[in-house]
């Protein structure tokens, strides 16, 4: 047996040429006893290898079970159904957590975590090195290595050309850590390995260290040599054919078997046995990490007691007239299950975060699996009543699954940072950090970087990028596509480039931060996983992504941002200011018929989730009349239901055009509420359990295979198991195929019912605001930009179509934000704010409004009192904010340009007798309506004047009352003349006052 202890995976970014999973699978095939994925100053790829090891172990166990049962699962497979795949290997290599430590002093060692204490020490060392560096870097110092390194074992790597003083530094290390140090006996694959091994052996003897064998692999198989060179070229910014010594000499630096290593080492083959013995002494398993929920309990209460008290208090708050017996029973049932699984600290942590947000007036809304429960409803985490839908709590908090529940909390996007910093301050940066997101190579980046490394011209790279979707959606037609864009598909360099592009897809490129997934621990987070700086100031992240922490069962609270929550909160504040009542998501009048009437008309510009063209087309067909209709509306227009052909059958059944029937009563219970059509991810899982006999473990694997945003699912691997299970239960093969086809649709993203219910509440809230307060809703939308599908011009136009008076930006009446003001007829008008002016800062607007007093009288008055720069005044003039001062846009711009040329010039302010010089007013040409409209869009991206098309309507349609004959159409010369008159004049084209002087 052989144990490879110094593997470099592709999580040593742009260096390693193989995935951690590939190393694990290859090691299993080669019969290795153990491997250690040791990336440079990182443990980012270890969990991937751990997950692969678990999958190999599962396959081996399945193979052994099949053999014990005669090789079959139940009766023979029906005709046309493929046989179950057989596990290819029996050996399951052990994974040893490790990292290759590269110190600033020139010393490199692989550190193996032999125990939990050793793993904690390794994580703290890596955290120290990364927290003193910018994102992506690690500056490890030998002083970071403590004198007592209990639980760590080191393998010293000898550099090809040691720096001066290297021996002295190593000798000092050996003196302190001799009992835990070894020297790597590694080939260089340069034809002189025997001499190298003799030299290393003498060096180890001089230090008094044992040697261990390692192939120091950069790839799992020799065929990845080309990829390794391409990655090196990308890393150093050179072409592959100019790498020189940076290129690999051959493809030998790969994972090797025991036989190969013994042949390479020859008389030094004892190092192979010492590597195996060293691996056996490292008994730490990354899967044994035990995560502890934070328990910030005050007042001497237990976690269970505090959760029960808060839940009962919330029950009285939610149901002031008394909660229904069903809800009370559900609450007791959920509390009992949560207590049995010791999840109380998790729910309390989420509750405390939400309570902080509410104390600051930050609107938030919980969603996710456990959020739609009575406990979360009573804790204020969500405002969705548990009586909506038929979701079962055990689907999300289950004793059988034994994994933490999932609660995502959306906060106002403008104020989420307050919540994030509160979490850091409450738990400390040594106990809280954001998840990572692994940025993988995808089409455009792969084409751009691999193409440059292979020496393709930028024109060629651009041409290939233009065919991105054609290449990756029509496999096998690349040659045809290349000919269409003028490239030679038979060119050898181009062929090789395309092969490497396809191969690099999915490789990790670098780490980024998750959108909001927080890890919060009871003990030190930096002893569970290394912590490092994020690119954004004030944030720290871990090196594992959400899939990694899911594999280890680690708590994650998603602190997310949502623009619509910002809009709704601002709308609630405006209603309270102008009308009195203070609304919340939970106190909005429910099931308002006027709201549903508006949605049935597809009057949904700006309404959350139903503002897209696809949703607008679907709303009149769906005709929602209650809240659960909105839940379905949110979930049905998604790639999963659309590709699974679920939309049209549901509408036909809802309209009575198609009979609703179920193949069995048990599936009727699963699909009854959606008329027999699976629309939610939870239903896909239930069909697999009830209809195909999936075990809870298999159903959980199916759930994990369903896709999420930007990650395509892998549902097809369950096809054989699903069809066989449906056949065993007596379902028709055509029905089984149709069911699986629908489930496969979720591989392109399907929506969970729990998320749809939370989103549906925001749909109703935003629709209610638009229906009853269209002006306030438009004002809040404009103040929450950027967000949604629609530009400010479309929002303003929609508000005016709903009868809302909209007033232009005014130097004497506007503020930074858009505001509502009395319209003089007992209603409210929308006054546009300075934020609509492109390029104007909030600070400048604050100075302008602070110095306004009783109002400005001229451009020069603004300059003197507000202290704004003349260039800022020019922006204001271009936005026509001085119109109420009887200054046209050009007149105001004329004054602003005079200030830009030097302001008040004493030499020209008075004549020789001391009399003030009065300048003759400039006779500026009047702007046409077309010029005004264009300048409005240039300055503010919107206009309150005519629609741009209205200026060309006489060109596009014949005049009213005239016959539709060809003679009524304008000539080309007339068209050019009209367009020329509408073309705006740039401020620099206007004459300068000083030029006239």
């Amino acid at each position: 047996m052989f144990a490879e202890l110094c593997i470099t995976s592709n999580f040593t970014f742009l260096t390693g040429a193989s995935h951690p999973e590939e190393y694990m699978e290859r090691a299993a095939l080669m019969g290795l006893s153990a491997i250690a994925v040791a990336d440079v100053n990182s443990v980012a790829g270890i969990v991937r290898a751990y997950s692969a090891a678990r999958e190999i172990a599962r396959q081996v166990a399945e193979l052994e079970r099949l053999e014990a049962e005669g090789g079959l699962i139940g009766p023979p497979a029906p005709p046309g159904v493929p046989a179950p795949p057989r596990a290819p290997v029996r050996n399951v290599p052990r994974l040893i957590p490790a990292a290759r430590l590269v110190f600033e002093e020139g010393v490199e060692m692989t550190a193996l975590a032999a125990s939990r204490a050793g793993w904690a020490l390794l994580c703290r060392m890596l955290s120290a090195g990364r927290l003193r560096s910018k994102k992506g870097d690690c500056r490890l110092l030998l002083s970071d290595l403590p004198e007592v390194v209990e639980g760590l074992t080191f393998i010293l790597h000898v550099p090809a050309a040691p720096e001066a003083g290297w021996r002295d530094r190593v000798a000092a290390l050996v003196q302190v850590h001799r009992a835990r140090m070894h020297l790597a006996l590694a080939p260089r694959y340069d034809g002189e390995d025997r001499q190298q091994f003799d030299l290393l052996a003498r060096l180890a003897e001089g230090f008094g260290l044992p040697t261990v064998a390692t192939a120091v692999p950069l790839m799992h198989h020799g065929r990845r040599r080309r990829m390794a060179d391409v990655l090196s070229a990308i890393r150093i910014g050179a072409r592959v054919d100019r790498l020189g010594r940076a290129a690999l000499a051959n493809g030998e630096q790969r994972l090797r078997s025991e036989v190969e290593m013994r042949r390479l080492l020859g008389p030094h083959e004892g190092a192979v046995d010492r590597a195996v013995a060293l691996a056996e002494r490292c008994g730490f398993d990354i899967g044994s990490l035990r995560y502890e929920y934070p328990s910030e309990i005050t007042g001497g209460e237990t976690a269970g007691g505090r959760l029960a008290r808060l839940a009962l208090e919330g029950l009285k708050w939610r149901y002031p007239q008394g909660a229904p017996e069903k809800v009370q029973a559900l609450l007791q049932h959920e509390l009992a299950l949560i207590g049995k699984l010791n999840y109380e600290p998790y729910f309390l942590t989420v509750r405390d975060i939400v309570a902080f947000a509410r104390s600051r007036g930050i609107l938030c809304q919980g969603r996710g699996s456990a959020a739609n429960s009575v406990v979360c409803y009573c804790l204020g985490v969500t405002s969705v009543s548990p009586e909506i839908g038929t979701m079962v709590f055990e689907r999300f908090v289950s004793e059988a699954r034994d994994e933490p529940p999932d609660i995502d909390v959306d906060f106002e996007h403008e104020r989420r940072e307050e919540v994030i910093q509160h979490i850091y301050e409450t738990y400390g940066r040594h106990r809280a950090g954001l998840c990572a997101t692994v940025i993988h190579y995808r089409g455009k980046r792969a084409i751009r970087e691999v193409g440059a490394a292979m020496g393709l011209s930028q024109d060629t790279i651009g041409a290939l990028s233009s065919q991105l979707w054609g290449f990756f959606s029509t496999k096998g037609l690349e040659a045809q596509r290349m000919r269409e864009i003028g490239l030679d598909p038979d060119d050898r360099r181009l062929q090789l480039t395309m092969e490497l592009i396809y191969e690099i897809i999915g490789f990790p490129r670098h780490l980024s931060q998750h959108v909001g997934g927080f890890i919060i621990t009871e003990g030190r987070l930096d002893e569970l996983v290394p912590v490092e700086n994020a690119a954004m100031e004030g944030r720290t992240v871990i090196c594992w992504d959400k899939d990694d922490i899911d594999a280890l069962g680690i708590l994650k609270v998603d602190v997310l941002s949502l623009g619509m929550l910002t809009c709704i909160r601002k709308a609630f504040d405006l209603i309270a200011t102008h009308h009195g009542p203070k609304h919340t998501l939970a106190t909005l009048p429910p099931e308002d018929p006027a709201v549903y009437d508006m949605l049935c008309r597809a009057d949904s510009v700006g309404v959350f989730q139903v503002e897209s063209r696809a949703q607008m087309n679907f709303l009149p067909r769906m005709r929602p009349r209650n809240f659960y209709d909105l839940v379905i509306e949110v979930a049905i227009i998604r790639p999963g239901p659309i590709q699974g052909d679920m939309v049209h059958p549901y509408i036909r059944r809802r309209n009575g055009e198609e009979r609703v029937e179920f193949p069995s009563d048990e599936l009727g219970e699963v699909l009854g509420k959606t008329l027999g059509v699976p629309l939610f991810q939870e239903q896909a899982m239930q069909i697999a359990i009830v209809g195909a006999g999936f075990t809870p473990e298999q159903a959980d694997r199916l759930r994990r295979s369903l896709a999420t945003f930007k990650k395509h699912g892998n549902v097809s691997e369950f096809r054989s198991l699903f069809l066989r299970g449906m056949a065993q239960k007596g379902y028709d093969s055509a029905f089984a195929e149709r069911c699986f086809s629908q489930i496969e649709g979720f591989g392109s993203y399907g929506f969970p019912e729990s998320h749809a219910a939370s989103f549906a509440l925001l749909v109703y809230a935003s629709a209610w605001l638009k229906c009853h307060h269209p002006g306030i809703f438009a004002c809040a939308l404009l103040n929450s930009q950027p967000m949604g599908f629609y530009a400010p011009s479309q929002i303003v136009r929609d508000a005016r179509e709903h009868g809302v008076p909209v007033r232009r930006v005014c130097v004497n009446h506007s503020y930074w934000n858009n505001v509502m003001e009395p319209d003089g007829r007992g209603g409210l008008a929308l006054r546009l704010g300075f934020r609509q002016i492109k390029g104007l800062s909030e600070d400048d607007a604050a100075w302008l409004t602070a110095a306004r007093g009783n109002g400005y009288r001229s451009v020069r008055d603004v300059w003197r009192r507000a202290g704004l720069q003349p260039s800022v005044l020019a922006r204001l003039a271009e936005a026509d904010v001085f119109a109420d001062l009887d200054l046209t846009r050009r007149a105001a711009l004329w004054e602003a340009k005079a200030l830009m040329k030097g302001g008040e010039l004493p030499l020209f302010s008075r004549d020789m007798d001391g009399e003030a010089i009065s300048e003759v007013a400039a006779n500026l040409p009047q702007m046409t309506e077309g010029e005004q409209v264009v300048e409005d869009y240039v300055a503010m991206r919107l206009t309150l004047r005519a629609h741009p098309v209205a200026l060309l309507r006489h060109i596009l349609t014949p005049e009213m009352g005239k016959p539709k004959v060809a003679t009524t159409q304008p000539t080309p010369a007339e068209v050019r003349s009209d367009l020329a008159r509408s073309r705006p004049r740039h401020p620099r084209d206007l004459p300068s006052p000083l030029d006239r002087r």
Side-chain angles (χ1 to χ4, degrees):
M1 300 289 282
F2 175 54
E4 177 53 70
L5 303 178
C6 301
I7 289 174
T8 301
S9 80
N10 53 13
F11 277 83
T12 300
F13 301 115
L14 300 181
T15 301
S18 293
H19 296 277
E21 298 93 331
E22 292 175 322
Y23 278 116
M24 183 59 69
E25 293 166 3
R26 183 72 175 167
L29 288 169
M30 299 175 76
L32 300 189
S33 62
I35 64 170
V37 175
D39 287 307
V40 174
N41 293 338
S42 173
V43 294
I46 284 178
V47 182
R48 307 294 176 98
Y50 166 74
S51 299
R54 284 202 310 180
E55 179 60 21
I56 293 171
R58 188 193 64 79
Q59 291 179 2
V60 170
E62 182 72 8
L63 176 61
E64 293 173 350
R65 187 180 68 83
L66 286 172
E67 291 181 343
E69 297 177 359
L72 295 175
I73 303 178
V81 177
R86 297 179 66 86
V89 295
R90 295 178 181 276
N91 176 53
V92 184
R94 204 159 46 81
L95 175 66
I96 301 173
R100 183 160 178 162
L101 306 181
V102 178
F103 296 94
E104 291 282 292
E105 295 85 349
V107 177
E108 292 189 23
M109 298 189 298
T110 293
L112 306 175
S115 66
R116 177 64 179 88
W119 172 258
L121 178 58
L122 177 61
C123 290
R124 292 190 66 172
M125 288 175 58
L126 293 174
S127 297
R130 290 193 172 273
L131 290 175
R132 69 166 61 101
S133 312
K134 64 180 182 180
K135 175 187 177 293
D137 291 340
C138 183
R139 290 184 57 246
L140 275 179
L141 306 174
L142 287 175
S143 58
D144 294 327
L145 192 63
E147 292 188 4
V148 179
V149 289
E150 188 68 32
L152 281 182
T153 299
F154 301 108
I155 301 175
L156 176 68
H157 297 273
V158 180
E163 299 177 358
W166 180 85
R167 284 177 177 266
D168 295 335
R169 288 189 285 271
V170 171
L173 278 176
V174 170
Q175 186 175 1
V176 178
H177 305 293
R178 185 187 307 275
R180 299 185 177 279
M181 290 189 67
H182 307 74
L183 190 140
L185 202 61
R188 292 183 180 164
Y189 310 104
D190 58 358
E192 299 180 357
D193 283 339
R194 289 302 173 95
Q195 297 91 322
Q196 171 72 8
F197 294 148
D198 293 340
L199 177 63
L200 291 175
R202 289 196 297 271
L203 186 62
E205 185 178 357
F207 284 133
L209 300 178
T211 58
V212 293
T214 173
V216 288
L218 283 176
M219 48 196 156
H220 77 293
H221 194 282
R223 63 173 177 268
R224 284 285 170 83
R225 177 201 168 186
R226 299 183 309 183
M227 178 56 65
D229 287 343
V230 167
L231 293 172
S232 296
I234 295 172
R235 185 179 70 251
I236 66 178
R239 289 172 46 167
V240 170
D241 52 8
R242 297 177 183 172
L243 277 177
R245 293 183 179 274
L248 293 180
N250 47 53
E252 297 299 308
Q253 198 171 347
R254 54 181 170 78
L255 194 63
R256 292 182 173 273
S257 66
E258 177 189 5
V259 174
E260 290 178 298
M261 289 304 297
R262 290 188 183 277
R263 186 175 66 248
L264 274 173
L265 294 172
H268 301 282
E269 64 174 326
V272 173
D273 300 321
R274 287 190 289 275
V276 175
L278 176 58
E280 290 176 351
R281 293 197 298 272
C282 297
F284 174 64
D285 178 11
I286 193 74
S288 67
L289 288 175
R290 286 294 170 260
Y291 172 77
E292 295 180 357
Y293 302 108
S295 56
E296 309 297 321
I297 308 301
T298 59
E301 287 183 291
T302 64
R306 182 173 181 234
L307 180 63
R309 177 178 59 81
L310 292 173
L312 291 174
E313 291 175 359
L315 193 67
K316 296 178 182 178
W317 164 57
R318 291 294 195 188
Y319 299 94
Q321 306 301 324
E325 292 185 4
K326 177 183 177 182
V327 174
Q328 296 182 41
L330 281 173
L331 177 62
Q332 295 303 323
H333 170 69
E334 291 179 9
L335 287 173
L337 184 57
I338 291 170
K340 188 174 183 180
L341 299 175
N342 298 317
Y343 287 156
E344 298 100 334
Y346 175 87
F347 284 86
L348 289 172
T349 300
V350 177
R351 182 265 174 193
D352 289 346
I353 294 172
V354 169
F356 165 79
R358 296 241 162 90
S359 70
R360 294 290 185 92
I362 303 172
L363 193 62
C364 58
Q365 166 72 354
R367 58 185 169 93
S369 300
N372 299 110
S373 65
V374 180
V375 169
C376 288
Y377 185 62
C378 293
L379 294 178
V381 174
T382 179
S383 297
V384 178
S385 171
E387 298 168 290
I388 298 297
T390 57
M391 291 172 285
V392 181
F393 190 66
E394 280 82 351
R395 291 192 197 172
F396 317 121
V397 180
S398 169
E399 187 175 3
R401 283 172 54 189
D402 190 26
E403 62 181 37
D406 173 33
I407 301 178
D408 304 335
V409 186
D410 293 312
F411 298 88
E412 297 177 39
H413 74 299
E414 292 182 352
R415 303 186 63 187
R416 180 180 65 139
E417 191 63 25
E418 296 178 41
V419 180
I420 289 176
Q421 294 306 320
H422 164 74
I423 294 174
Y424 281 130
E425 292 169 5
T426 300
Y427 299 98
R429 294 183 182 272
H430 64 292
R431 295 176 55 198
L434 286 163
C435 279
T437 293
V438 181
I439 305 301
H440 296 89
Y441 271 102
R442 297 186 182 275
K444 281 193 178 294
R445 184 190 290 269
I447 291 173
R448 184 172 64 249
E449 295 193 357
V450 175
M454 293 297 292
L456 300 185
S457 68
Q458 289 302 312
D459 289 344
T460 303
I461 292 172
L464 290 175
S465 295
S466 70
Q467 297 298 310
L468 173 68
W469 299 113
F471 288 144
F472 292 100
S473 62
T474 56
K475 190 78 172 174
L477 299 178
E478 294 90 342
Q480 177 182 335
R481 296 274 182 178
M482 287 183 186
R483 290 190 181 94
E484 291 174 357
I485 57 178
L487 299 179
D488 180 10
D490 298 323
D491 181 81
R492 175 58 184 157
R493 184 185 292 265
L494 193 56
Q495 289 178 344
L496 184 56
T497 301
M498 291 305 299
E499 291 176 12
L500 289 165
I501 286 172
Y502 283 118
E503 191 172 10
I504 204 174
I505 296 293
F507 263 57
R509 176 61 169 77
H510 60 270
L511 291 181
S512 182
Q513 70 174 41
H514 189 269
V515 292
F518 252 103
I519 308 298
I520 308 173
T521 60
E522 173 71 10
R524 294 187 65 98
L525 177 62
D526 58 1
E527 292 185 351
L528 182 72
V529 56
V531 178
E532 59 186 271
N533 291 317
M536 184 179 293
E537 186 178 357
R539 294 191 182 182
T540 50
V541 300
I542 66 172
C543 63
W544 292 339
D545 71 2
K546 65 182 185 64
D547 293 327
D548 297 333
I549 65 173
D550 281 348
L552 296 176
I554 295 177
L555 161 74
K556 173 173 66 70
V557 178
D558 279 325
V559 180
L560 307 175
S561 64
L562 195 60
M564 182 50 67
L565 285 173
T566 305
C567 171
I568 292 174
R569 195 265 304 164
K570 290 181 176 181
F572 286 165
D573 290 346
L574 286 170
I575 292 173
T577 299
H578 295 284
H579 298 292
K582 181 67 175 177
H583 290 290
T584 66
L585 288 174
T587 60
L588 284 176
E591 305 293 44
D592 188 335
V595 173
Y596 293 111
D597 290 341
M598 183 190 76
L599 291 176
C600 289
R601 297 192 302 269
D603 184 5
S604 60
V605 171
V607 177
F608 183 64
Q609 288 286 306
V610 294
E611 59 183 344
S612 69
R613 291 300 176 189
Q615 290 280 9
M616 284 184 172
N617 289 332
F618 189 72
L619 278 168
R621 300 171 59 199
M622 176 72 181
R623 301 192 62 79
R625 300 311 307 175
N626 56 54
F627 183 80
Y628 198 74
D629 285 347
L630 296 182
V631 176
I632 292 176
E633 178 77 31
V634 168
I636 199 169
I637 304 299
R638 304 281 169 178
I642 291 173
Q643 294 187 18
D645 191 26
M646 307 171 195
V647 178
H648 296 295
Y650 178 82
I651 287 297
R652 288 195 298 268
R653 295 181 183 194
R654 180 181 173 86
N655 295 338
E657 301 169 8
E658 183 178 302
R659 183 180 176 185
V660 180
E661 55 184 3
F662 309 101
S664 67
D665 292 340
E666 53 186 8
L667 284 181
E669 294 179 2
V670 174
L671 301 174
K673 59 186 175 181
T674 54
L675 307 182
V677 180
L679 298 179
F680 305 112
Q681 283 187 356
E682 294 93 338
Q683 289 178 309
M685 294 172 59
Q686 288 296 302
I687 291 173
I689 293 173
V690 173
F694 274 38
T695 64
E697 188 270 339
Q698 291 168 333
D700 190 54
R701 286 173 51 216
L702 173 65
R703 177 185 66 85
R704 293 177 185 277
S705 74
L706 297 177
T708 54
F709 288 114
K710 299 185 180 180
K711 177 184 175 184
H712 195 78
N714 188 23
V715 188
S716 300
E717 66 181 53
F718 295 92
R719 179 184 182 85
S720 301
L721 186 62
F722 184 88
L723 296 181
R724 186 177 299 105
M726 295 286 279
Q728 290 174 357
K729 291 208 168 190
Y731 291 103
D732 180 70
S733 60
F735 172 77
E737 288 279 1
R738 188 167 67 252
C739 281
F740 189 78
S741 175
Q742 290 176 328
I743 292 175
E744 263 188 321
F746 288 103
S748 296
Y749 189 72
F751 217 58
E753 184 182 18
S754 52
H755 286 256
S758 295
F759 277 176
L761 180 62
L762 301 184
V763 174
Y764 181 82
S766 55
W768 185 89
L769 289 168
K770 181 180 176 67
C771 179
H772 295 286
H773 303 279
I776 285 176
F777 182 63
C779 183
L781 271 178
L782 291 172
N783 289 339
S784 303
Q785 295 295 310
M787 57 168 287
F789 279 77
Y790 295 100
S793 61
Q794 294 167 297
I795 296 171
V796 168
R797 183 184 176 195
D798 182 72
R800 298 177 79 180
E801 289 177 351
H802 283 77
V804 178
V806 182
R807 296 174 177 174
R808 62 190 173 198
V809 184
C810 176
V811 68
N812 281 332
H813 297 94
S814 291
Y815 299 88
W816 169 250
N817 280 323
N818 304 276
V819 297
M820 303 302 295
E821 61 184 25
D823 64 358
R825 300 191 301 271
L828 294 174
L830 170 59
R831 170 69 70 178
L832 296 180
F834 293 118
R835 69 182 301 149
Q836 302 303 140
I837 301 175
K838 186 166 57 175
L840 185 69
S841 71
E842 187 174 359
D843 287 342
D844 287 333
W847 281 109
L848 177 65
T849 55
R852 186 159 54 196
N854 292 326
Y856 297 110
R857 297 185 299 275
S858 67
V859 176
R860 190 175 296 274
D861 191 23
V862 177
W863 176 62
R864 285 173 173 168
R865 290 162 57 184
L868 298 182
Q869 294 294 323
S871 59
V872 176
L873 295 175
R875 287 191 183 276
L876 293 170
E878 289 169 354
D880 201 19
V881 305
F882 298 101
D884 286 1
L885 305 182
D886 293 328
L887 279 176
T888 65
R889 192 192 307 261
R890 279 182 174 167
L893 189 56
W894 180 273
E895 290 193 27
K897 289 184 69 173
L899 295 172
M900 293 175 69
K901 291 291 186 178
E904 292 182 331
L905 302 179
L907 181 63
F908 299 103
S909 61
R910 296 181 181 274
D911 60 18
M912 297 183 64
D913 297 328
E915 297 292 331
I917 298 176
S918 58
E919 201 174 336
V920 179
N923 186 19
L924 301 174
Q926 295 295 315
M927 297 179 68
T928 66
E929 183 76 359
E931 289 175 326
Q932 296 277 18
V933 168
V934 172
E935 286 298 324
D936 283 344
Y937 275 101
V938 169
M940 299 182 295
R941 305 182 187 89
L942 61 87
T943 186
L944 300 182
R945 295 180 171 90
H947 192 281
V949 175
L951 303 175
L952 303 176
R953 190 163 289 136
H954 66 285
I955 300 175
L956 303 176
T957 61
E959 294 179 10
M960 294 297 294
K962 290 189 177 182
K964 297 181 181 180
V965 293
T967 57
T968 64
Q969 298 299 321
T971 65
E974 292 172 333
V975 173
R976 288 194 294 272
S977 177
D978 287 333
L979 292 177
R981 286 196 299 271
S982 299
R983 185 178 299 121
R985 297 181 66 187
H986 195 275
R988 65 169 175 264
D989 298 331
L990 298 176
S992 168
L994 293 184
D995 294 339
R996 188 164 54 81
R997 288 174 181 168

